[in-house]
Amino acid sequence: MGTAGERPPGPGPGPGTGGLVVVHVGFGTAAVPYMDGWALQKRTHALRIAEEIPDTVLLMEHEPVYTAGKRTGAADRPLGDPGAPVVDVDRGGKITWHGPGQLTGYPIVRLPDPVDVVAYVRLLEEMMTGVCAELGLDTHTVEGRSGLWVSGTPDRKIGSIGIRVSQGVTMHGFQLNCDNDMGWFDKIVPCGIRDAGSTSLSRELGRTVTVAEVTPLAEQHLARVLGAAGTVHRPVGSLPAR
């Protein structure tokens, strides 16, 4: 996880004046098993490194799963059977949950040289901030903690970020809680943070805010912060085989 702060001056990473390619992988009853989504990430990442595809974001809902980043401690993990698989992954950060009602996005983008991972994290925070603002929710970042927060006692985390950069290309990404069951987070120490809570757009706004409502907003704001002229939708089957 990166540290919070102001976005540095200058252009952010992204596809420049072209359109950001968006792939809808699976939502609702077609929610994606985590290992399938991870395999697709790896394939997309390899294609981007080889310059066979432009910058691409994979958007989906997952079947329920806990993913443990490289900094996850034993005390952060669920006790007993949490009711969903726990998968150790190669991103930064600690443990979190993915599942129905949560928008998960994996931007596979080439960062400009010199690679600035913190600046990229700031862009993802800015994207989620813009989405929440359009829906009428004020959010903020917290010094020393990546992701997006709602003020309170304690502060409540509504969006998380965990990334990996290899050969200048990003993978993993962000999650934004829409109308998911927040009880899943009670079984872990989300992102290793013990003095804060977790929340969703639906809980904060007092109405049902679905992944379907949030997805187009996330696409627009992701294209904006990455410097793209807009979005271009492609089906999963359009990605070349390797």
mmCIF file of all heavy atoms in Angstrom, residues 60-97:
data_model
loop_
_atom_site.group_PDB
_atom_site.id
_atom_site.type_symbol
_atom_site.label_atom_id
_atom_site.label_comp_id
_atom_site.label_asym_id
_atom_site.label_seq_id
_atom_site.Cartn_x
_atom_site.Cartn_y
_atom_site.Cartn_z
ATOM 1 N N MET A 60 -14.783 -6.367 -12.904
ATOM 2 C CA MET A 60 -15.541 -7.577 -12.576
ATOM 3 C C MET A 60 -16.035 -7.530 -11.140
ATOM 4 O O MET A 60 -15.633 -6.688 -10.333
ATOM 5 C CB MET A 60 -14.649 -8.811 -12.758
ATOM 6 C CG MET A 60 -13.479 -8.904 -11.798
ATOM 7 S SD MET A 60 -12.258 -10.152 -12.302
ATOM 8 C CE MET A 60 -11.410 -9.280 -13.635
ATOM 9 N N GLU A 61 -16.935 -8.459 -10.849
ATOM 10 C CA GLU A 61 -17.217 -8.882 -9.488
ATOM 11 C C GLU A 61 -16.602 -10.267 -9.331
ATOM 12 O O GLU A 61 -16.605 -11.068 -10.271
ATOM 13 C CB GLU A 61 -18.715 -8.969 -9.214
ATOM 14 C CG GLU A 61 -19.424 -7.645 -9.046
ATOM 15 C CD GLU A 61 -20.925 -7.810 -8.900
ATOM 16 O OE1 GLU A 61 -21.392 -7.988 -7.756
ATOM 17 O OE2 GLU A 61 -21.630 -7.778 -9.929
ATOM 18 N N HIS A 62 -16.102 -10.549 -8.144
ATOM 19 C CA HIS A 62 -15.570 -11.880 -7.864
ATOM 20 C C HIS A 62 -16.561 -12.702 -7.052
ATOM 21 O O HIS A 62 -17.398 -12.151 -6.319
ATOM 22 C CB HIS A 62 -14.268 -11.775 -7.059
ATOM 23 C CG HIS A 62 -13.058 -11.515 -7.897
ATOM 24 N ND1 HIS A 62 -12.655 -12.356 -8.910
ATOM 25 C CD2 HIS A 62 -12.146 -10.509 -7.852
ATOM 26 C CE1 HIS A 62 -11.553 -11.884 -9.461
ATOM 27 N NE2 HIS A 62 -11.226 -10.754 -8.853
ATOM 28 N N GLU A 63 -16.451 -14.007 -7.165
ATOM 29 C CA GLU A 63 -17.043 -14.876 -6.158
ATOM 30 C C GLU A 63 -16.316 -14.601 -4.839
ATOM 31 O O GLU A 63 -15.164 -14.151 -4.845
ATOM 32 C CB GLU A 63 -16.882 -16.341 -6.562
ATOM 33 C CG GLU A 63 -17.658 -16.708 -7.820
ATOM 34 C CD GLU A 63 -17.501 -18.171 -8.206
ATOM 35 O OE1 GLU A 63 -16.685 -18.876 -7.558
ATOM 36 O OE2 GLU A 63 -18.182 -18.604 -9.159
ATOM 37 N N PRO A 64 -16.962 -14.846 -3.673
ATOM 38 C CA PRO A 64 -16.336 -14.485 -2.399
ATOM 39 C C PRO A 64 -14.947 -15.101 -2.237
ATOM 40 O O PRO A 64 -14.749 -16.301 -2.457
ATOM 41 C CB PRO A 64 -17.313 -15.042 -1.364
ATOM 42 C CG PRO A 64 -18.640 -15.030 -2.058
ATOM 43 C CD PRO A 64 -18.332 -15.394 -3.480
ATOM 44 N N VAL A 65 -13.976 -14.260 -1.855
ATOM 45 C CA VAL A 65 -12.597 -14.705 -1.682
ATOM 46 C C VAL A 65 -11.847 -13.697 -0.820
ATOM 47 O O VAL A 65 -12.145 -12.498 -0.849
ATOM 48 C CB VAL A 65 -11.893 -14.853 -3.053
ATOM 49 C CG1 VAL A 65 -11.770 -13.502 -3.759
ATOM 50 C CG2 VAL A 65 -10.532 -15.518 -2.933
ATOM 51 N N TYR A 66 -10.941 -14.182 -0.002
ATOM 52 C CA TYR A 66 -9.996 -13.319 0.698
ATOM 53 C C TYR A 66 -8.655 -13.414 -0.016
ATOM 54 O O TYR A 66 -8.192 -14.514 -0.335
ATOM 55 C CB TYR A 66 -9.822 -13.763 2.157
ATOM 56 C CG TYR A 66 -11.056 -13.574 3.001
ATOM 57 C CD1 TYR A 66 -11.922 -14.640 3.246
ATOM 58 C CD2 TYR A 66 -11.369 -12.343 3.562
ATOM 59 C CE1 TYR A 66 -13.051 -14.484 4.017
ATOM 60 C CE2 TYR A 66 -12.509 -12.173 4.336
ATOM 61 C CZ TYR A 66 -13.351 -13.247 4.561
ATOM 62 O OH TYR A 66 -14.477 -13.080 5.324
ATOM 63 N N THR A 67 -8.039 -12.262 -0.284
ATOM 64 C CA THR A 67 -6.714 -12.267 -0.891
ATOM 65 C C THR A 67 -5.735 -11.618 0.077
ATOM 66 O O THR A 67 -5.997 -10.546 0.620
ATOM 67 C CB THR A 67 -6.688 -11.539 -2.244
ATOM 68 O OG1 THR A 67 -7.027 -10.165 -2.076
ATOM 69 C CG2 THR A 67 -7.655 -12.200 -3.220
ATOM 70 N N ALA A 68 -4.611 -12.298 0.285
ATOM 71 C CA ALA A 68 -3.611 -11.857 1.254
ATOM 72 C C ALA A 68 -2.375 -11.380 0.516
ATOM 73 O O ALA A 68 -1.688 -12.174 -0.146
ATOM 74 C CB ALA A 68 -3.257 -12.995 2.205
ATOM 75 N N GLY A 69 -2.091 -10.079 0.611
ATOM 76 C CA GLY A 69 -0.900 -9.511 0.008
ATOM 77 C C GLY A 69 0.350 -9.900 0.771
ATOM 78 O O GLY A 69 0.301 -10.548 1.829
ATOM 79 N N LYS A 70 1.496 -9.461 0.266
ATOM 80 C CA LYS A 70 2.779 -9.927 0.779
ATOM 81 C C LYS A 70 3.059 -9.492 2.209
ATOM 82 O O LYS A 70 3.888 -10.102 2.886
ATOM 83 C CB LYS A 70 3.898 -9.436 -0.150
ATOM 84 C CG LYS A 70 3.864 -10.082 -1.534
ATOM 85 C CD LYS A 70 5.010 -9.631 -2.418
ATOM 86 C CE LYS A 70 4.854 -8.197 -2.861
ATOM 87 N NZ LYS A 70 5.913 -7.792 -3.826
ATOM 88 N N ARG A 71 2.367 -8.472 2.685
ATOM 89 C CA ARG A 71 2.626 -7.970 4.048
ATOM 90 C C ARG A 71 1.618 -8.486 5.060
ATOM 91 O O ARG A 71 1.600 -8.037 6.208
ATOM 92 C CB ARG A 71 2.624 -6.433 4.034
ATOM 93 C CG ARG A 71 3.779 -5.825 3.247
ATOM 94 C CD ARG A 71 3.685 -4.307 3.156
ATOM 95 N NE ARG A 71 3.452 -3.694 4.455
ATOM 96 C CZ ARG A 71 2.407 -2.952 4.782
ATOM 97 N NH1 ARG A 71 1.452 -2.723 3.873
ATOM 98 N NH2 ARG A 71 2.282 -2.426 5.972
ATOM 99 N N THR A 72 0.796 -9.450 4.682
ATOM 100 C CA THR A 72 -0.226 -9.977 5.596
ATOM 101 C C THR A 72 0.425 -10.754 6.735
ATOM 102 O O THR A 72 1.240 -11.653 6.503
ATOM 103 C CB THR A 72 -1.197 -10.894 4.843
ATOM 104 O OG1 THR A 72 -1.805 -10.159 3.778
ATOM 105 C CG2 THR A 72 -2.282 -11.419 5.779
ATOM 106 N N GLY A 73 0.058 -10.402 7.964
ATOM 107 C CA GLY A 73 0.539 -11.125 9.135
ATOM 108 C C GLY A 73 -0.438 -12.203 9.563
ATOM 109 O O GLY A 73 -1.610 -12.188 9.186
ATOM 110 N N ALA A 74 0.035 -13.126 10.372
ATOM 111 C CA ALA A 74 -0.812 -14.228 10.830
ATOM 112 C C ALA A 74 -2.033 -13.717 11.588
ATOM 113 O O ALA A 74 -3.131 -14.267 11.462
ATOM 114 C CB ALA A 74 0.011 -15.177 11.704
ATOM 115 N N ALA A 75 -1.862 -12.644 12.355
ATOM 116 C CA ALA A 75 -2.965 -12.123 13.156
ATOM 117 C C ALA A 75 -4.017 -11.416 12.310
ATOM 118 O O ALA A 75 -5.132 -11.162 12.790
ATOM 119 C CB ALA A 75 -2.428 -11.157 14.212
ATOM 120 N N ASP A 76 -3.693 -11.094 11.054
ATOM 121 C CA ASP A 76 -4.647 -10.428 10.170
ATOM 122 C C ASP A 76 -5.614 -11.411 9.521
ATOM 123 O O ASP A 76 -6.674 -11.017 9.031
ATOM 124 C CB ASP A 76 -3.903 -9.682 9.047
ATOM 125 C CG ASP A 76 -2.928 -8.652 9.567
ATOM 126 O OD1 ASP A 76 -3.215 -8.043 10.611
ATOM 127 O OD2 ASP A 76 -1.873 -8.467 8.926
ATOM 128 N N ARG A 77 -5.229 -12.693 9.490
ATOM 129 C CA ARG A 77 -5.997 -13.702 8.760
ATOM 130 C C ARG A 77 -7.211 -14.161 9.562
ATOM 131 O O ARG A 77 -7.248 -14.035 10.788
ATOM 132 C CB ARG A 77 -5.102 -14.893 8.429
ATOM 133 C CG ARG A 77 -3.969 -14.557 7.467
ATOM 134 C CD ARG A 77 -3.016 -15.723 7.268
ATOM 135 N NE ARG A 77 -1.930 -15.379 6.365
ATOM 136 C CZ ARG A 77 -1.957 -15.613 5.056
ATOM 137 N NH1 ARG A 77 -3.003 -16.237 4.513
ATOM 138 N NH2 ARG A 77 -0.942 -15.278 4.288
ATOM 139 N N PRO A 78 -8.214 -14.729 8.878
ATOM 140 C CA PRO A 78 -9.407 -15.194 9.594
ATOM 141 C C PRO A 78 -9.091 -16.391 10.480
ATOM 142 O O PRO A 78 -8.207 -17.205 10.178
ATOM 143 C CB PRO A 78 -10.369 -15.583 8.462
ATOM 144 C CG PRO A 78 -9.487 -15.846 7.284
ATOM 145 C CD PRO A 78 -8.317 -14.925 7.425
ATOM 146 N N LEU A 79 -9.824 -16.477 11.576
ATOM 147 C CA LEU A 79 -9.732 -17.630 12.459
ATOM 148 C C LEU A 79 -10.762 -18.666 12.022
ATOM 149 O O LEU A 79 -11.916 -18.331 11.780
ATOM 150 C CB LEU A 79 -9.981 -17.224 13.908
ATOM 151 C CG LEU A 79 -8.955 -16.253 14.527
ATOM 152 C CD1 LEU A 79 -9.420 -15.827 15.917
ATOM 153 C CD2 LEU A 79 -7.588 -16.906 14.589
ATOM 154 N N GLY A 80 -10.364 -19.918 11.918
ATOM 155 C CA GLY A 80 -11.296 -20.964 11.511
ATOM 156 C C GLY A 80 -11.649 -20.838 10.041
ATOM 157 O O GLY A 80 -10.927 -20.247 9.242
ATOM 158 N N ASP A 81 -12.811 -21.382 9.688
ATOM 159 C CA ASP A 81 -13.274 -21.368 8.303
ATOM 160 C C ASP A 81 -14.041 -20.079 8.048
ATOM 161 O O ASP A 81 -15.123 -19.878 8.599
ATOM 162 C CB ASP A 81 -14.166 -22.578 8.044
ATOM 163 C CG ASP A 81 -14.695 -22.626 6.610
ATOM 164 O OD1 ASP A 81 -14.266 -21.777 5.792
ATOM 165 O OD2 ASP A 81 -15.524 -23.503 6.318
ATOM 166 N N PRO A 82 -13.529 -19.185 7.192
ATOM 167 C CA PRO A 82 -14.206 -17.912 6.964
ATOM 168 C C PRO A 82 -15.353 -18.008 5.967
ATOM 169 O O PRO A 82 -16.030 -17.013 5.710
ATOM 170 C CB PRO A 82 -13.090 -17.026 6.416
ATOM 171 C CG PRO A 82 -12.205 -17.969 5.677
ATOM 172 C CD PRO A 82 -12.243 -19.262 6.467
ATOM 173 N N GLY A 83 -15.547 -19.179 5.350
ATOM 174 C CA GLY A 83 -16.625 -19.332 4.386
ATOM 175 C C GLY A 83 -16.259 -18.964 2.975
ATOM 176 O O GLY A 83 -17.110 -18.946 2.079
ATOM 177 N N ALA A 84 -14.973 -18.676 2.741
ATOM 178 C CA ALA A 84 -14.476 -18.341 1.410
ATOM 179 C C ALA A 84 -12.996 -18.691 1.370
ATOM 180 O O ALA A 84 -12.327 -18.709 2.407
ATOM 181 C CB ALA A 84 -14.680 -16.863 1.099
ATOM 182 N N PRO A 85 -12.456 -18.973 0.184
ATOM 183 C CA PRO A 85 -11.021 -19.284 0.095
ATOM 184 C C PRO A 85 -10.160 -18.098 0.532
ATOM 185 O O PRO A 85 -10.563 -16.948 0.418
ATOM 186 C CB PRO A 85 -10.817 -19.581 -1.400
ATOM 187 C CG PRO A 85 -12.178 -19.806 -1.969
ATOM 188 C CD PRO A 85 -13.134 -19.030 -1.124
ATOM 189 N N VAL A 86 -8.962 -18.421 1.026
ATOM 190 C CA VAL A 86 -7.944 -17.411 1.312
ATOM 191 C C VAL A 86 -6.786 -17.669 0.355
ATOM 192 O O VAL A 86 -6.179 -18.740 0.379
ATOM 193 C CB VAL A 86 -7.457 -17.473 2.767
ATOM 194 C CG1 VAL A 86 -6.388 -16.407 3.015
ATOM 195 C CG2 VAL A 86 -8.623 -17.307 3.735
ATOM 196 N N VAL A 87 -6.501 -16.698 -0.512
ATOM 197 C CA VAL A 87 -5.496 -16.859 -1.559
ATOM 198 C C VAL A 87 -4.351 -15.882 -1.315
ATOM 199 O O VAL A 87 -4.566 -14.671 -1.183
ATOM 200 C CB VAL A 87 -6.103 -16.594 -2.963
ATOM 201 C CG1 VAL A 87 -5.033 -16.761 -4.040
ATOM 202 C CG2 VAL A 87 -7.280 -17.530 -3.217
ATOM 203 N N ASP A 88 -3.134 -16.404 -1.238
ATOM 204 C CA ASP A 88 -1.950 -15.546 -1.130
ATOM 205 C C ASP A 88 -1.567 -15.039 -2.517
ATOM 206 O O ASP A 88 -1.435 -15.835 -3.459
ATOM 207 C CB ASP A 88 -0.796 -16.322 -0.503
ATOM 208 C CG ASP A 88 -1.026 -16.579 0.971
ATOM 209 O OD1 ASP A 88 -0.822 -15.652 1.775
ATOM 210 O OD2 ASP A 88 -1.449 -17.702 1.324
ATOM 211 N N VAL A 89 -1.393 -13.730 -2.637
ATOM 212 C CA VAL A 89 -1.140 -13.113 -3.942
ATOM 213 C C VAL A 89 0.127 -12.266 -3.883
ATOM 214 O O VAL A 89 0.660 -11.990 -2.802
ATOM 215 C CB VAL A 89 -2.345 -12.258 -4.392
ATOM 216 C CG1 VAL A 89 -3.556 -13.134 -4.637
ATOM 217 C CG2 VAL A 89 -2.680 -11.185 -3.363
ATOM 218 N N ASP A 90 0.591 -11.850 -5.072
ATOM 219 C CA ASP A 90 1.872 -11.169 -5.189
ATOM 220 C C ASP A 90 1.757 -9.652 -5.245
ATOM 221 O O ASP A 90 2.672 -8.981 -5.704
ATOM 222 C CB ASP A 90 2.633 -11.670 -6.421
ATOM 223 C CG ASP A 90 1.855 -11.469 -7.722
ATOM 224 O OD1 ASP A 90 0.676 -11.031 -7.664
ATOM 225 O OD2 ASP A 90 2.416 -11.750 -8.799
ATOM 226 N N ARG A 91 0.652 -9.096 -4.761
ATOM 227 C CA ARG A 91 0.526 -7.633 -4.711
ATOM 228 C C ARG A 91 1.049 -7.120 -3.383
ATOM 229 O O ARG A 91 1.323 -7.879 -2.455
ATOM 230 C CB ARG A 91 -0.943 -7.228 -4.871
ATOM 231 C CG ARG A 91 -1.851 -7.763 -3.789
ATOM 232 C CD ARG A 91 -3.206 -7.076 -3.753
ATOM 233 N NE ARG A 91 -4.135 -7.754 -2.868
ATOM 234 C CZ ARG A 91 -4.131 -7.655 -1.544
ATOM 235 N NH1 ARG A 91 -3.217 -6.920 -0.937
ATOM 236 N NH2 ARG A 91 -5.018 -8.298 -0.813
ATOM 237 N N GLY A 92 1.154 -5.789 -3.285
ATOM 238 C CA GLY A 92 1.481 -5.171 -2.021
ATOM 239 C C GLY A 92 0.269 -5.181 -1.088
ATOM 240 O O GLY A 92 -0.830 -5.599 -1.452
ATOM 241 N N GLY A 93 0.498 -4.713 0.127
ATOM 242 C CA GLY A 93 -0.593 -4.616 1.078
ATOM 243 C C GLY A 93 -0.835 -5.898 1.851
ATOM 244 O O GLY A 93 -0.033 -6.830 1.812
ATOM 245 N N LYS A 94 -1.965 -5.924 2.544
ATOM 246 C CA LYS A 94 -2.279 -7.043 3.422
ATOM 247 C C LYS A 94 -3.547 -7.745 2.928
ATOM 248 O O LYS A 94 -3.766 -7.856 1.733
ATOM 249 C CB LYS A 94 -2.397 -6.550 4.862
ATOM 250 C CG LYS A 94 -1.062 -5.990 5.389
ATOM 251 C CD LYS A 94 -1.097 -5.729 6.876
ATOM 252 C CE LYS A 94 0.260 -5.274 7.379
ATOM 253 N NZ LYS A 94 0.288 -5.115 8.854
ATOM 254 N N ILE A 95 -4.374 -8.220 3.844
ATOM 255 C CA ILE A 95 -5.509 -9.050 3.458
ATOM 256 C C ILE A 95 -6.759 -8.206 3.241
ATOM 257 O O ILE A 95 -6.976 -7.191 3.918
ATOM 258 C CB ILE A 95 -5.774 -10.146 4.517
ATOM 259 C CG1 ILE A 95 -6.722 -11.224 3.976
ATOM 260 C CG2 ILE A 95 -6.294 -9.545 5.821
ATOM 261 C CD1 ILE A 95 -6.768 -12.481 4.826
ATOM 262 N N THR A 96 -7.569 -8.623 2.271
ATOM 263 C CA THR A 96 -8.855 -7.992 2.040
ATOM 264 C C THR A 96 -9.822 -9.026 1.482
ATOM 265 O O THR A 96 -9.468 -10.199 1.305
ATOM 266 C CB THR A 96 -8.725 -6.784 1.091
ATOM 267 O OG1 THR A 96 -9.945 -6.034 1.116
ATOM 268 C CG2 THR A 96 -8.416 -7.223 -0.333
ATOM 269 N N TRP A 97 -11.038 -8.589 1.238
ATOM 270 C CA TRP A 97 -12.088 -9.478 0.714
ATOM 271 C C TRP A 97 -12.578 -8.933 -0.615
ATOM 272 O O TRP A 97 -12.656 -7.716 -0.818
ATOM 273 C CB TRP A 97 -13.259 -9.539 1.698
ATOM 274 C CG TRP A 97 -14.444 -10.307 1.195
ATOM 275 C CD1 TRP A 97 -14.657 -11.656 1.273
ATOM 276 C CD2 TRP A 97 -15.614 -9.763 0.546
ATOM 277 N NE1 TRP A 97 -15.862 -11.984 0.703
ATOM 278 C CE2 TRP A 97 -16.472 -10.848 0.251
ATOM 279 C CE3 TRP A 97 -16.003 -8.478 0.177
ATOM 280 C CZ2 TRP A 97 -17.686 -10.680 -0.394
ATOM 281 C CZ3 TRP A 97 -17.217 -8.308 -0.469
ATOM 282 C CH2 TRP A 97 -18.042 -9.407 -0.739
#
